[in-house]
C-alpha cells in the first residue's frame, strides 16, 4: 500500500461514495488521504440520485464541517 506522499500528492481530500439503490453514503478523507470520516447518508429512493448527490456535495462545500474542513 502506497501513501499519498509517495504519489507526491499534498493536502488532498478524497470524496468517497457508497452507492446503493436506496441510499448513497458520502465520506471525506483527511488532507493526507490516509483516514476517512463519514459525511452524510442520502436517501435517493424516488428521486434523481445524481441531482440529490450533487446538490448535497454543493451544500457540503459551503459547510464548515463538510468538504471544506
Amino acid at each position: 500500500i502506497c501513501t499519498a506522499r509517495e504519489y507526491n500528492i499534498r493536502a488532498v481530500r478524497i470524496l468517497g461514495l457508497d452507492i446503493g439503490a436506496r441510499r448513497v453514503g458520502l465520506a471525506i478523507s483527511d488532507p493526507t488521504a490516509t483516514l476517512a470520516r463519514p459525511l452524510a447518508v442520502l436517501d435517493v429512493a424516488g428521486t434523481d440520485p445524481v441531482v440529490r448527490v450533487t446538490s448535497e456535495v454543493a451544500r457540503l462545500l459551503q459547510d464548515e464541517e463538510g468538504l471544506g474542513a
Side-chain angles (χ1 to χ4, degrees), residues 12-18 24-30 33 36-40 53-54 56-58 60-61 66-67:
V12 165
R13 290 184 180 263
I14 298 170
L15 177 65
L17 302 173
D18 182 7
V24 174
L26 303 177
I28 190 74
S29 74
D30 66 350
R37 65 180 172 90
L39 284 176
V53 171
T54 55
E56 182 66 11
V57 169
L60 288 168
L61 282 168
L67 300 177

Side-chain angles (χ1 to χ4, degrees), residues 4-69:
R5 184 177 206 145
E6 292 169 322
Y7 285 109
N8 200 25
I9 298 172
R10 297 187 184 123
V12 165
R13 290 184 180 263
I14 298 170
L15 177 65
L17 302 173
D18 182 7
I19 300 170
R22 295 181 181 154
R23 288 179 288 281
V24 174
L26 303 177
I28 190 74
S29 74
D30 66 350
T32 66
T34 305
L35 300 172
R37 65 180 172 90
L39 284 176
V41 177
L42 309 176
D43 184 7
V44 295
T47 66
D48 181 343
V50 174
V51 171
R52 178 76 174 99
V53 171
T54 55
S55 64
E56 182 66 11
V57 169
R59 187 190 70 76
L60 288 168
L61 282 168
Q62 304 302 317
D63 187 1
E64 279 185 34
E65 298 299 317
L67 300 177

